[in-house]
């Protein structure tokens, strides 16, 4: 069980909901185990639009309501991250950039441009075969890296052999393309401009498109530093960026269904972003997101682009009339302000009047205005009564859009906040219609919290319980279930083996550490003979929702029956130690041997002893009312007993000092003692028991 000691520190951090300052990181995916959340925590998204969600998730859920693609799911998942949501809804999505927007490396199109050029040359009929072969050979040999301004020049000189007018036009295109890749945008623009009147259709269309690309790249030449950070619109060449805008618009006007249509539209959005033209950018996103065809692989990529480029600059008083984009920004403005730097300006939370001012622009999405007003009242104004006035009860539907579901969940949260006794019935009705992806887990979490707070945890485990998601049941077994319920679940053949084993594990651990020694001995017989001694068993509340993609961890019940705690102090097996304590709970040797078992089995600073916060699932008062066993307090009691046997007292002194070794941090629980007291224990051990092995082994105090 060595792993318990190794991972317990990290698990305790996660159990408290701690995340690093970079809250967008997916490295830690702590779970809050609450239904509503105003703070952004990575991986803590729920299937309702709320401030604590990833903004990409909120936008996806809003857009999903307008699309016919419906994904359903049963129990098993509560929280999810952005990648899980987008992959579940659109498993066919690609990893390519968003239709050309990210033109950050012009050489990224070298291969596709080469293939298109070769195909165009091969399709031309009135071209001598020698020139055709030469053009293809030169293009295939050119491999620019956008680093050296003369890359490929040794190949281009071979084009001097081209004599026919058509071949020379293709040669001009090649020279212009190489200038583009080498960063000589002036030469590239001149060369491509000379071909807009070319007789070959491919040359004419592609050159018109490349003129705009050349101007775009010329405009941003000084806009990014060596690390790729954008310096802002003021660093962009305004004349050339407008040339690029006119160029892409001209291309789209002449070739509305052209080969580069999607790329031109994507790069036009980049033009607006570089120029700081937020209104044009937001309106362009609104049009693209509203396209019927924007339902497959492109949608998650486009949402990522919106989040990257528009979220931080779009103001609610802008000209955009897209309700989804406005809602995304409004929910973002409801987040609890987080300022990692004292000198960083923090925008105030959104006001009710700001939302009311958007009434006309939100009218195309019925119910959205009321939801945003209710969300502002709940998350910002702390006014749940207003939520109940704005959102009527509609918990009896057979299916909900994500917006309607969000409305009803917010109403349920408001019922809980005002202490309405009808909240439990509300959740039980709502769960029947929560059949879209991830919806059911939200309602099950809300119902589980309601039952826990109402001293009805046993109802979660009743035969007809709506709380089916394994992780929710596990959290309640770990923190909210008392001995009768734990014993019942441990014996219930109608539930899965993991739940039975977990209930027994928690029961035995709680009895052992809360002094219920007779109960422990009576329940120890429930441990199967083939129980495992160790295994990767972790706190359910800190892990991803298990059970559907991977095999759940086994429960190491063998710790209570098979663990060998033999050491220099000569303790018996755990069962005999507990029998000693059952006869005499104050037995010095029994206390020392129990402490040794907990230490050696890896139960110091164990995650089961770190209770969730009061507002989270599992955060109610512990049903085990007696104090938890503390190694340090046991040692203190024996040290204070001058009638204790010399061997027991010497060992207690030794172990009490070692509670703080080797880093000066208490690993034994109990009330802290300062260094002078540890020094006094050290000196007492050396002075009173100099011949003991413990005095001889202890070289330092901490």
């Amino acid at each position: 069980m060595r792993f318990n000691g190794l991972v317990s520190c990290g698990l305790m951090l996660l159990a408290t909901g701690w995340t690093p300052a970079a809250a967008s990181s997916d490295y830690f995916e702590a779970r809050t185990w609450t239904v509503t959340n105003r703070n952004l925590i990575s991986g803590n998204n729920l299937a309702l639009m709320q401030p604590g969600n990833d903004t990409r998730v909120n936008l996806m859920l809003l857009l999903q309501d307008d699309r016919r693609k419906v994904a359903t799911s049963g129990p098993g998942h509560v929280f999810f991250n952005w990648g899980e949501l987008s992959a579940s809804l659109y498993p066919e999505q690609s990893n390519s950039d968003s239709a050309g927007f990210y033109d950050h490396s012009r050489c990224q199109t070298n291969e596709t441009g080469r293939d298109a050029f070769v195909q165009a040359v091969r399709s031309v009929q009135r071209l001598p075969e020698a020139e055709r072969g030469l053009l293809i050979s030169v293009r295939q040999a050119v491999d620019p890296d956008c680093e050296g301004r003369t890359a490929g020049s040794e190949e281009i000189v071979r084009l001097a052999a081209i004599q026919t007018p058509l071949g020379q036009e293709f040669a001009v295109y090649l020279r212009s393309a190489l200038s583009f890749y080498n960063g000589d945008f002036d030469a590239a623009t001149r060369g491509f401009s000379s071909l807009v009147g070319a007789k070959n259709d491919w040359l004419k269309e592609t050159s018109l498109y490349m003129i705009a690309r050349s101007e775009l790249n010329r405009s941003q030449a000084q806009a990014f530093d060596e690390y790729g950070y954008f310096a802002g619109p003021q660093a962009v060449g305004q004349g050339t960026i407008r040339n690029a805008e006119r160029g892409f618009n001209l291309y789209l006007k002449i070739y509305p269904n052209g080969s580069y249509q999607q790329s031109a539209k994507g790069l036009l959005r980049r033009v607006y972003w570089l120029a700081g033209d937020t209104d044009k950018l937001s309106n362009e996103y609104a049009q693209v997101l509203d396209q019927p065809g924007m339902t497959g692989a492109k949608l998650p990529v486009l949402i990522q682009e919106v989040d990257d480029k528009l979220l931080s600059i779009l103001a609610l008083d802008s000209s955009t009339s897209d309700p989804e984009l406005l809602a995304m920004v409004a929910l973002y403005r409801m987040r609890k302000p987080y300022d990692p730097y004292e000198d960083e300006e923090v925008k105030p939370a959104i006001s009710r009047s700001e939302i009311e001012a958007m009434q006309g622009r939100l009218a195309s999405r019925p119910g959205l205005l009321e939801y945003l007003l209710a969300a502002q009242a709940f998350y910002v104004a702390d006014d749940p009564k207003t939520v109940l006035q704005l959102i009527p009860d509609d918990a009896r539907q057979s299916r909900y859009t994500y917006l309607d579901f969000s409305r009803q969940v917010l109403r349920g949260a408001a019922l809980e906040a005002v202490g309405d006794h009808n909240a439990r019935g509300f959740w039980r009705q709502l769960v029947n219609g929560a059949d879209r992806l991830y919806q059911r887990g939200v309602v099950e979490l809300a119902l589980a919290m309601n039952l826990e707070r109402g001293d009805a945890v046993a109802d979660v485990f009743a035969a007809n319980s709506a709380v089916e998601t394994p992780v929710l049941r596990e959290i309640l077994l770990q923190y909210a279930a008392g001995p009768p319920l734990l014993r019942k679940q441990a014996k219930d053949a109608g539930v899965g083996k993991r739940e039975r084993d977990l209930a027994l594990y928690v029961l035995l651990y709680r009895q052992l550490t809360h002094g219920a020694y007779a109960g422990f001995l009576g329940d120890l017989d429930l441990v199967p003979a083939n129980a495992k001694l160790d295994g990767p068993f972790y706190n359910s509340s800190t892990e991803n929702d298990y059970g559907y993609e991977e095999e759940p961890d086994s429960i190491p019940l063998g710790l209570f029956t098979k663990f060998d705690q033999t050491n220099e102090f000569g303790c018996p097996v755990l069962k005999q130690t507990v029998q000693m304590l059952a006869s005499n709970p104050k037995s010095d040797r029994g206390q020392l041997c129990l402490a040794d078992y907990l230490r050696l089995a890896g139960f110091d600073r164990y995650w089961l002893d770190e209770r969730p916060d009061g507002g989270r699932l599992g955060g109610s008062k512990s049903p085990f009312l007696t104090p938890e066993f503390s190694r340090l307090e046991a040692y203190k009691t024996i040290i204070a007993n001058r009638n204790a046997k010399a061997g027991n007292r010497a060992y207690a002194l030794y172990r009490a000092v070692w509670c703080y070794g080797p880093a000066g941090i208490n690993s034994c629980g109990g009330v802290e003692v300062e260094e002078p007291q540890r020094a006094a224990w050290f000196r007492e051990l050396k002075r009173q028991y100099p011949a003991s092995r413990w005095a001889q082994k202890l070289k330092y105090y901490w």
Side-chain angles (χ1 to χ4, degrees), residues 201 204-205 208 250-259 261:
D201 291 337
K204 185 187 301 184
E205 177 185 353
L208 186 60
L250 180 61
Y251 172 83
L252 291 169
K253 180 179 180 180
I254 298 175
Y255 299 100
N257 299 307
S259 302
Q261 176 205 35

Side-chain angles (χ1 to χ4, degrees), residues 482-636:
L485 178 56
L486 290 169
R487 190 174 295 112
K488 171 182 171 293
Q489 292 308 108
K491 295 179 179 180
D492 189 350
V495 301
K497 181 179 184 301
R498 177 180 170 87
E499 185 168 307
R500 293 198 308 273
D501 288 352
L502 176 63
L504 182 56
Y505 184 94
V506 174
L507 175 62
L508 293 174
Y509 179 77
R510 297 291 188 206
Q511 290 171 327
L512 191 63
T513 56
H514 286 266
Y517 303 125
F520 176 89
L521 293 171
D523 292 321
L524 194 61
D525 291 339
L526 296 175
V527 177
N530 63 348
K532 292 186 177 181
L533 180 60
D534 55 19
F537 174 44
Y538 305 113
N539 185 351
S540 302
S541 68
T542 64
E543 299 301 301
N544 291 335
D545 303 345
Y546 78 88
Y548 286 84
E549 288 86 15
E550 57 188 45
E551 191 70 21
D553 301 327
S554 60
I555 310 297
L557 281 168
L559 270 176
F560 301 108
T561 56
K562 300 178 180 179
F563 185 75
D564 181 6
Q565 67 178 98
T566 302
N567 65 359
E568 294 173 296
F569 193 61
C571 288
V573 297
L574 177 62
K575 183 176 182 179
Q576 293 177 12
T577 294
V578 178
Q579 287 172 338
M580 192 187 317
L581 290 168
S583 299
N584 178 15
K586 296 183 179 181
S587 165
D588 291 346
R589 185 164 183 80
Q591 294 279 311
L592 290 170
C593 286
L594 176 58
D596 262 9
Y597 167 80
L598 295 173
R599 175 178 62 87
L600 295 170
F603 287 118
D604 278 346
R605 305 180 71 179
Y606 197 43
W607 54 262
L608 272 175
D609 300 325
E610 299 293 326
R611 298 193 61 78
D613 293 341
R616 303 183 180 192
L617 184 68
S620 58
K621 186 177 180 181
S622 172
F624 290 83
L625 302 180
T626 55
E628 292 177 5
F629 180 85
S630 159
R631 290 206 291 123
L632 181 57
E633 295 306 312
Y635 300 144
K636 288 179 184 178

Side-chain angles (χ1 to χ4, degrees), residues 657 660-661 675-676 678-683 698-702:
V657 174
Y660 287 84
E675 184 177 333
R678 281 129 52 190
W681 286 339
F682 176 83
R683 289 191 293 269
L698 193 62
K699 305 298 183 184
Y700 314 99
Y701 65 86
W702 295 269

Side-chain angles (χ1 to χ4, degrees), residues 65-83:
D65 285 346
D66 287 339
R67 287 158 170 78
R68 297 183 181 275
K69 187 182 181 76
V70 176
T72 61
S73 68
H77 289 278
V78 181
F79 298 101
F80 54 89
N81 60 36
W82 160 248

Side-chain angles (χ1 to χ4, degrees), residues 265-303:
K265 288 182 177 180
L267 293 176
L268 193 56
R269 297 195 300 273
R270 183 173 181 83
V271 165
Y272 297 150
W273 174 66
L274 288 168
D277 201 333
T278 306
D279 288 346
K280 285 185 178 180
L281 181 62
S282 59
N283 290 330
E284 185 67 23
Y285 279 129
Q287 291 181 24
V288 177
L289 289 170
D290 197 43
Q291 291 177 359
M294 189 57 66
T295 59
K298 299 176 183 177
L299 185 59
V301 182
L302 187 64
I303 288 175

